[in-house]
Amino acid sequence: MIANKSIGLLFLSVLAPAAAQAGASNGSNALALSAIVGELAPQTSAPNKKLLAAFFSGKADAPHAKDLRIAVKADAIDCRAGNVDITSRACELTFGGKKIELRGRKAHELYATLIENGVALDGAAGASHASLSGLDCIVDADEVAEKAGGGARCAFNP
């Protein structure tokens, strides 16, 4: 009887979807995600948005305060691209109680950047979705300026 229960539980665990595991990225992909989301994040200061934009534009030598670490956070991001209506591209970003909508080229830029950062695609009802929650990125300005491949890290939940 116990063996039958064990086999049953094993069988169910094989059929059940795998538990969602936290995602992470670093380097240039994480910098791109930080810069795109940071541009919209209400908690990111104007000078930090400007520095993230400079880094994203290839200006690793942009002036910044020593030991500056920029945090970029979002509660949720949901992007979708139509695979029936191929002109449809949209993203919704949630920062606390504030929601920001992107459409068109800006939405596609974020959608593609999510995929570059390892966010899995999920297809449903004529659209592909790339979604995450709990985005938490840190950009270490001194490390980015070293041009050694580091300085940006992101963690998120799929």
Side-chain angles (χ1 to χ4, degrees):
M1 178 90 170
I2 292 175
N4 287 342
K5 284 185 181 178
S6 296
I7 291 171
L9 289 174
L10 177 64
F11 180 71
L12 288 175
S13 69
V14 170
L15 293 179
Q21 297 197 7
S25 64
N26 57 51
S28 65
N29 291 340
L31 178 62
L33 185 56
S34 298
I36 293 167
V37 175
E39 176 184 356
L40 303 166
Q43 79 276 11
T44 304
S45 70
N48 286 349
K49 288 179 183 191
K50 185 176 178 182
L51 181 58
L52 288 171
F55 285 161
F56 194 36
S57 296
K59 298 177 180 126
D61 60 349
H64 62 273
K66 185 170 174 28
D67 298 324
L68 177 64
R69 294 171 55 93
I70 302 169
V72 175
K73 297 176 186 268
D75 294 316
I77 301 173
D78 180 35
C79 291
R80 62 191 177 282
N83 54 23
V84 174
D85 176 1
I86 62 170
T87 66
S88 176
R89 286 166 178 49
C91 293
E92 182 178 86
L93 295 87
T94 305
F95 303 97
K98 183 174 184 176
K99 292 190 186 279
I100 296 175
E101 302 242 350
L102 300 177
R103 300 223 176 268
R105 185 180 298 257
K106 285 282 194 185
H108 182 75
E109 179 181 44
L110 179 53
Y111 174 81
T113 303
L114 290 176
I115 295 166
E116 285 177 346
N117 278 272
V119 175
L121 285 176
D122 181 29
S128 295
H129 285 261
S131 300
L132 61 77
S133 63
L135 178 67
D136 186 3
C137 299
I138 297 291
V139 176
D140 181 320
D142 293 338
E143 197 174 341
V144 171
E146 291 174 6
K147 297 184 187 178
R153 289 170 279 294
C154 293
F156 52 85
N157 297 312

